[in-house]
Amino acid sequence: MYHIEDSHEPIIDKETFNLAQQIMNDRRNTKTGEDKNLSKYNKRYPLSGIVYCGKCGRTLKRRYWNYGTDVSKVMMQCGGYLEGKANCSAKAIESILIEKAAIEVINKYFLSNIDIINELYRSILSAVDVSETAFKIDEIANEIIDIENKMSSLAEMKLENQITKELYSIKFHELNNELHKKEILVKELNKEKDINFDKNQRVAKMKKALKEKNQIDTLEVDVLRSFIYRIITINKENIIFCVSANKAYSDKEFTEKIKEFMDYPSIFDGKIISDNKKKILKYKVISI
């Protein structure tokens, strides 16, 4: 058996292939995260991907208990615990209690206080300027084209022996390093543009929720994600709702700061009692 490289013309060039691999890898990490947390939510279930375990930092997953029976119920359980009790000892919480608490927070804290809503609008939009970011991206894109043209000219000079190999190597590495820095900057600016676009969308959804309803009685994904950033479970009787105006944390950053967030002072709190009066879920709302 023989392995021969570059023996025939490829369907796509190597750069396109490598870029495609990187994009697929990024999308995989966006969905599940390298730390196994779900950073993208499932639109079918409002709580998917935003409820974090206060003990180990992993996201909680939906689980059915006693499925198919009269006492069937949906629970939220730590992903670490599900992989083995040695990983985490956190107890499961009934999904319906968290959802009822979220509805109460949105109704009592947000939708009942127009001043809070307006302040949240201002805070979110103060950090949003999609057009300026897009202009910066265009500027750097033109700079990248200029660098690539210089690299192309440099290669031609080498082929025509107008420049020594040593000087070519030095100049090529200088331009290549500059190109790499510009590409990283464009990638960061694109992320910033996406985040700012999401913030504009978030404000639009909040305004829509406020316009359509003074109170909500069911928990819809878009409404929940517009007001509540993340949820932390301390134990099966206590949870924390995290509100964030314009700060976006990666899964890793949020997990690292969970213990710190748990000590933040409450700006609003309350409790939910289960229908059978046997369980109480206390909650507090914090700004992060």
Side-chain angles (χ1 to χ4, degrees):
M1 183 181 293
Y2 297 92
H3 174 74
I4 302 173
E5 291 188 352
D6 303 323
S7 64
H8 59 280
E9 186 178 350
I11 297 172
I12 60 171
D13 58 78
K14 283 186 178 180
E15 285 188 10
T16 304
F17 174 79
N18 290 332
L19 180 59
Q21 298 303 306
Q22 182 61 50
I23 290 170
M24 288 191 292
N25 185 56
D26 288 344
R27 287 177 178 172
R28 280 194 297 270
N29 287 337
T30 300
K31 185 177 180 183
T32 58
E34 291 180 358
D35 54 4
K36 299 183 182 179
N37 280 340
L38 297 171
S39 60
K40 266 200 158 183
Y41 62 84
N42 181 334
K43 289 196 172 185
R44 188 176 173 187
Y45 305 118
L47 300 178
S48 296
I50 66 164
V51 186
Y52 285 70
C53 175
K55 288 183 180 292
C56 71
R58 291 282 297 275
T59 48
L60 274 66
K61 303 177 186 295
R62 276 174 63 93
R63 305 289 290 183
Y64 277 100
W65 281 15
N66 304 313
Y67 184 74
T69 69
D70 293 339
V71 290
S72 172
K73 53 188 174 183
V74 179
M75 307 296 290
M76 297 297 294
Q77 196 153 35
C78 174
Y81 178 92
L82 291 172
E83 290 179 3
K85 295 180 182 179
N87 297 320
C88 184
S89 60
K91 302 297 183 183
I93 303 179
E94 282 192 53
S95 177
I96 189 65
L97 289 179
I98 301 177
E99 290 183 24
K100 284 183 176 180
I103 289 171
E104 185 168 289
V105 168
I106 292 170
N107 284 335
K108 289 187 176 180
Y109 182 67
F110 292 105
L111 299 183
S112 298
N113 195 326
I114 192 64
D115 291 334
I116 288 176
I117 290 285
N118 287 332
E119 181 57 36
L120 196 56
Y121 289 160
R122 286 192 293 271
S123 186
I124 293 170
L125 294 176
S126 66
V128 173
D129 193 342
V130 177
S131 59
E132 183 180 343
T133 306
F135 178 74
K136 287 179 183 176
I137 291 170
D138 287 341
E139 274 191 331
I140 297 169
N142 287 328
E143 291 172 5
I144 287 174
I145 291 172
D146 186 50
I147 294 170
E148 289 173 339
N149 287 336
K150 287 179 180 178
M151 293 175 78
S152 179
S153 297
L154 191 66
E156 289 178 6
M157 290 174 68
K158 179 176 178 261
L159 286 172
E160 295 174 2
N161 295 319
Q162 295 177 9
I163 188 173
T164 64
K165 288 183 179 180
E166 291 77 13
L167 185 55
Y168 168 80
S169 181
I170 292 169
K171 292 291 184 182
F172 177 84
H173 281 96
E174 286 176 356
L175 290 169
N176 195 46
N177 288 337
E178 188 178 352
L179 179 64
H180 183 61
K181 289 176 183 177
K182 298 288 184 184
E183 288 171 340
I184 290 174
L185 186 55
V186 166
K187 190 174 181 179
E188 290 172 351
L189 286 170
N190 272 315
K191 285 182 181 177
E192 182 181 321
K193 187 176 75 171
D194 290 343
I195 289 169
N196 285 342
F197 178 77
D198 287 344
K199 288 176 182 176
N200 275 323
Q201 293 288 90
R202 180 183 171 195
V203 168
K205 289 171 183 174
M206 289 167 67
K207 287 182 176 179
K208 183 181 178 183
L210 189 62
K211 183 179 179 180
E212 291 181 351
K213 307 172 185 177
N214 288 326
Q215 300 281 285
I216 62 170
D217 50 20
T218 57
L219 195 61
E220 297 174 3
V221 171
D222 285 346
V223 174
L224 174 65
R225 306 308 168 100
S226 297
F227 294 104
I228 306 298
Y229 181 63
R230 296 281 191 272
I231 302 170
I232 301 171
T233 59
I234 303 173
N235 50 49
K236 63 180 182 178
E237 291 92 18
N238 294 273
I239 61 172
I240 300 172
F241 291 101
C242 302
V243 177
S244 177
N246 50 39
K247 171 66 176 175
Y249 296 90
S250 67
D251 282 342
K252 185 174 182 295
E253 289 172 331
F254 189 82
T255 298
E256 289 173 348
K257 293 177 74 69
I258 276 182
K259 298 298 182 186
E260 180 183 332
F261 291 149
M262 287 167 66
D263 291 330
Y264 275 29
S266 171
I267 55 175
F268 184 78
D269 50 52
K271 63 182 179 181
I272 292 293
I273 301 174
S274 64
D275 292 339
N276 61 12
K277 312 295 182 184
K278 292 182 178 180
K279 293 181 181 178
I280 296 176
L281 181 65
K282 297 179 181 178
Y283 65 82
K284 73 174 182 176
V285 180
I286 64 170
S287 177
I288 62 174

